[in-house]
Each structure stands twice: as C-alpha cells, then as structure tokens.
Amino acid sequence: MKNAIFYVSTLLVIAGCLILTGCNKWEETESGSIRIVTNRGGQTLGYSSTSGIRLVFDDGFAFKDLSKNGELDPYEDWRLEAEERAKDLASRMSIEQIAGLMLYSAHQAIPAGGGWNASSYRGKSFEESGAKASDLSDDQIKFLTEDNLRHILVTSVESPEVAALWNNNVQALCESLGPGIPANNSSDPRHRPVADAEYNAGSGGKISMWPDSLGMAATFDPDLVKRFGLIASREYRALGIATALSPQIDLATEPRWSRVSGTFGESPRLSADMARAYVDGFQTSEGKKEISAGWGYESVNAMVKHWPGGGSGEGGRDAHFAYGKYGVYPGNNFEGHLIPFVEGAFKLEGATRMASAVMPYYTISYGIEKTNHENVGNAYSRYLIAGLLRGVYSFDGVVCTDWGVTKDATAVNSFGTTSWGVEKLTVAERHYKVILAGGDQFGGNNEAGPVIEAYKMGVREHGEEFMRARMERSAVRLLKNIFRTGLFENPYLDIEETKSTVGSAEFMKEGYAAQLKSVVLLKNGNKTLPVDKSKTVYIPKRHTPASVNFFGAETPASFEYPVNIEIAKKYFRVTEDPAEADFALVLIRSPNTGGGYDAEDVKKGGTGYVPISLQFRPYTAVDARNRSIAGGDPLETFTNRTYRGKSTGASNVSDLEMVLDAEKAMKDKPVIVVARMSNPMVFREFEKEADAILAAFGVQDQALMDIISGRSEPSGLLPMQMPADMKAVEKQSEDVPFDLRCHVDSAGNAYDFGFGMNWSGVISDERTAKYGRPAE
C-alpha cells in the first residue's frame, strides 16, 4: 500500500497505526488543545483539536489536510518548494480570499483594552467583558472570518505568555477557515530600551533591549547588528511574529526629519552594510531550524522600509502629514538613497539572498518620474515600483504600502490619511492604482471590499484573465513568505519555550553590551571622565511641558529627575545641593520644535509653514529658501510652502537652561552633559559650558552610569554630522549626506560623521578607516 493516500480521523490514525504501511515514520503527541506530529526525516506539524483539521498520509509521512478534501494537495505537501506550493494554493483561492490576503491589519494591541485602536470583546469593553488577555477581540474575529485577512500588525502585548496564547488562538481560528492559511503576525521594532529599567546580568526581562537604530549605527559594527537580528528573530518567533516591519534604511540626509532615530544615519555605505547584516540576521535559519535556502522556523521576513527613501522631506517635514508630503532632491542625489536597498538589503550574504518585502514611504518623490511627470505617493508610482524596484532591480518579493495610504485626507495636519497625489480618486480607485503600480498589500486596511472593487475595475478594463493572473501574482508573493517560515506546518507556540526565550538573561546581556558600544564621547575636557564612584553628583530635575506625541496621545507636564535616581545612587552619592557636589550630571534631549506646521499661524492668516529647528533658543529662518521646491495640496490654495522669515522655539528649552544653570551653580566644578539624541543638534548653545559631553541613542540609564563611572569605556562614533548652526542646516540639501558645516568645539574637534573619543582621545581605528568620509 506504499504511496497510497489515506484520509482518516486522528483517533483512527492512532488506533490503526500498526496496520498502516509506513506509519512508523511519524508519531503524535498532545499539549492541551495543540497536537504535535513528528515526521522522522521530515517536518514537524502542529494543529489544533478545535480547528477540524485531520491528517493525510503519503509514503509513511503525515500532512495536514488544510483544505479538508481528503487528499494531499500540493500546497499541503511540505516536501515541495515554497514557490510551487504558493502557486498551487493561489490557483485554488477565490478572489475574496486573495483580497483578504492582500490586507495588513491596523495596529492590534494584546489585549485591545483601551486607548488608540481599542476594540470590544463580545460587544463589551475588555474590562467589562470578562475576556482573557489572550482572547481575540471582536474586530480581530471579524477581519479574520469575514474579510479573510491573514496579516496582523501586533503592537503592545501584556506579556510574552499572553502573546503566545493569543497567537495560538488566532492560528486555531485561521486553520479552521477556508484553505487553512495561517496568520502571518508582524511587528514594528520592539527592542528599544526602557531607559529607567535596571540591568541585572543574571535576570531576564520582557524582551531584550538594544539601542535605537541610530545607536546601532554609532557602533559602526555590522556584525553586532547581524547578531541582534539573530536574537531578535528568535524572540519574535517565540512571540508568534514572523514578519518584521523593519529595518528602516532611509538615508537620514535631512537632519531635521522626525524619523532620523529609526535609521542607520546618513552614510550610504554604512547604511547598506547595516541593512544587509540586519536582514541576514532576521531571515536566516540554520541547522535543524532550516527548511530550505536559509529559510525556516527561526526566520522572520524583513520588510525593509521605506522605498525609495523617505529621508529627504523638504524642510525636514514628515510625510505622515500633508504638510510633509514632498520628498525633494535639490542635490540631484535620488540614486544615492537607493544604495541601502540595492547594495544592502537586496544583496545579502546569507542564503535567503534578498529581503522578502519592501514598504514604500508616504512621500511624493518630487520630480523623479520624468516621462509622465506624475507626482504621486511612492506606492502609487508605476515608475518607482513596477519600473525601478521590480524592473531595474529585479525585486519580486512583497510590496506593502505604508499604513493608511488609501484613506481620505481630512486636514493638512491630520494623521494617518496619506493618499498623496491621488486625493481625487475614490478609495477603491486608489487600491486599483496601487495594484497596477506593482503593489501587493495594503497596510492598515482591515476590509476586503475596496480590494474586491479594484479587482472588478481591472476586469472591466483588462478582462478577467488578466486581472485574475495579476491578483494571483500578489498571492504567490504573500504566500511564499508564510510557507518559507514554516507556518503552514506548525504555527503554534510552546508557552514555556516562549517564556524562556523572550528576554532571556543571555539575550539581555548581549543587548546591554550593544548599548554600551553605542554611546559616543564627544568631549572630555581635563579628563573629566571617568568619575570615581566615591564622588558626589548633583543631577538637576527636568521640567517637561505637556505634549502630544506622533499618534496624538497626550503626556501631562512633569518635574522630575531625568534619570532613575535609584540607579544613580548605586554609582555615586547624590545631592540636591550643587555646593555639596563634586560634579553635575545634566541629561538633556534633542530640541523639540514641532513638525514644521503651526495651525495657529493659519488662524492668523499665514500658510501654517514654520521652521523645524535643531537648537533650543528661538530661531528665525532668515536663510531659508524664498520659494519651496515643491508644494500644492487640494486643501491649500497656494503652492509656495516657504517658511522664510518665520520663527520657532523649542518646547523643551528648559533642557538648555538646566545646562547653563548647572554651570553657574557648580562654579569651577565639572559639568557632564548627556544628550539623549533623536536628531542632530546645535551644540554651540552649551558646549563651552560643559566639561564633558556624551551622546546617547536610546540606551538605559545604567549604561550611561557604567560609562561615566569608568566601568565601561566609550567606543561609539557619530553616525551623523552635528551642525555648526541653523544657517548650516538651511544651506544643506535635503537629499545629500555630509554637506553640513559642522560644529567645532573648544578643544578643536569637529563633530563630524565618524567622530568619537575614548579615554585616550580621538578614536582612529579600522572603523573610521573603512567608513570615514573619504571612502564614500
């Protein structure tokens, strides 16, 4: 009976195991409602006893009958390559199912109990429903069952255990529906440190904590970034996450841009090497975890962003908002922004060869499309996607829009509505335009209706055969990423394994070591650092005004220590009296002057456009260009977005005042400044008043104390230039790296790209030789 295919219930399989030919190649165990089937010499399967899935057999091996038709379909056969399986399944799917596959959910918190994007549970709030944190919300059940959505963006989770239980609940539901396509859960970067958390070498945490991407860049060490990717991918998979909406590899050539901290800086070469290392680390499985060609059960699809680069917004404004919709290229350096993609993420050293997915940015890459002169958001541009990305650079992975690009814009400063350049199209017409441009997926869209309507538009224009083939092509790309990561075989998690993996002591240790390597020493007058632990420190408290963040969440005003004071006390004696202190430690943040648009200016008859400043003190843009390069919006009656002659100031100017006041209070005693940086800044405002300066890019307070006390020596290098003044910022080109006039400090050191110090002085090593500006 060899090669015969049997369709039997699980109970009959177990009872009749001895009489079935080849049955000795597999065995089944149970863990709660999850059944695990081990194929000796093959793939391990996992399925839920609640999903209605049964097994089929061939050549003595077991397979999941996801289609429930009693046969071994090619897409169910784990012996076949992912491409063949994906094509087979895509050909079997209805248009409604493909449309659901092309959706990527809005942000989902676990549980979705309150705040932004909250949901109900059985028609009630989470608190009133009695639901478990790992239960599915009403919205999640709806988009999985009614809209066939299979890609979920996970934000906050109550704990790793809850995330794993929720994943298993999601996968059991998906397994029971249609062709049994598992959920491909994803995440934005989630390894940023909690600044005031204490690090203990012998303990774990909720997840390992690593420096911001800009801090990774400050290490100038791609091997460290690859190691991060390997660790983070293991933690992601233990949380049920198989796609990373990262890395962000935009070139940060515009220092005022609000997303600089998520990049690898302004160097094309360093960014390309970091991108390659990051993607290799995330996507590569090895040994028993590998399925084929580097892909496997520890692989996480890397969705690199944002094609073709979002770091050249005019005046530093960001394209989440209509006032920042234009990316400009006054230095004619568009191709330079492609380098991290085409020389990094698309040319991997590992076996997976290329990043599996790409996310275009919201921006209109102004003036780049020369044939039809079409200025539309990048995801809508046939030139940028079908022509350049897929044509010139042969990318055949998934292209997923950024979140909300098909939604109607309601105001120039509204968030999450980014249909730039296609505002006059209907929502369905926007979906159709993305598909024809070469896109596969719609970020932030839970509803299949517009995708189905777009398909009907295509049928009317090009015929059913053409449009069916086009939709299947996207389905194959999307399905490959699910097949290659082993989710069709076993999407379920072992809860105890999740608890021991995520935030393990080993992973926490490596993340903390990376944080130490990312800190940059900029100034060390009179060998102020390191400081003996017997010394007494004065740490001024910081006043933080009330604010509203990127997503509209409000933060109340506060007056408190800018560091975990209990951690500081473990290193130094702490006093509130400067007269008693041996030194002052002042912790500041990058100046915050807003996003370059002021609704109050509109009320006064202005255009709303104001400068973004990198200094604390009030700034008037006398050197800004008199006429903007780009402009125009259906909600505006003008096209010139200049802010020349207008003024702005930092909401956190009190940070500067802390430094100046501390210098006066300390008299001749040293003042150490730690700048927690999200953007470059004008150091001229306080550098002379500081005896020592450290730059930190997303690290724990404890890491700073280890550096200051000499327990660890700084080795980081600046991943971006620091401007001499705001005139230098206005005169640089938004698209060009290394074109700032840099600050020169009282010791004669220029705060240029690649500059950094250790206890011996200015660092000059193999990193500066490789990535220094002459090599660019």
Side-chain angles (χ1 to χ4, degrees), residues 143-165:
F143 63 57
L144 290 171
T145 57
E146 296 180 21
D147 293 282
N148 297 299
L149 183 149
R150 290 298 179 270
H151 293 79
I152 306 174
L153 173 55
V154 177
T155 57
S156 61
V157 297
E158 184 175 286
S159 68
E161 180 179 0
V162 166
L165 289 167

Side-chain angles (χ1 to χ4, degrees), residues 243-259:
T243 293
L245 304 187
S246 58
Q248 184 189 335
I249 58 176
D250 312 86
L251 273 190
T253 51
E254 171 44 65
R256 294 165 289 188
W257 187 34
S258 61
R259 303 193 68 177

Side-chain angles (χ1 to χ4, degrees), residues 330-341:
N332 296 315
N333 192 41
F334 172 78
E335 291 188 359
H337 286 254
L338 305 183
I339 291 174
F341 296 91

Side-chain angles (χ1 to χ4, degrees), residues 22-100:
C23 194
N24 62 330
K25 290 185 179 181
W26 65 274
E27 61 182 6
E28 185 174 55
T29 58
E30 292 188 22
S31 177
S33 63
I34 307 303
R35 291 176 174 170
I36 302 299
V37 179
T38 302
N39 282 296
R40 287 182 287 277
Q43 299 302 321
T44 296
L45 313 179
Y47 67 102
S48 172
S49 60
T50 67
S51 68
I53 292 298
R54 299 176 179 180
L55 300 177
V56 291
F57 304 89
D58 185 48
D59 197 22
F61 291 115
F63 304 83
K64 291 161 66 174
D65 183 23
L66 294 167
S67 66
K68 307 177 187 66
N69 65 357
E71 300 177 0
L72 178 59
D73 300 318
Y75 85 89
E76 299 164 339
D77 190 343
W78 43 257
R79 296 167 301 186
L80 303 179
E81 290 298 320
E83 177 93 16
E84 182 177 352
R85 298 176 72 185
K87 288 181 177 179
D88 175 70
L89 177 51
S91 69
R92 298 168 183 268
M93 293 171 69
S94 68
I95 289 300
E96 289 75 17
Q97 290 168 335
I98 294 176

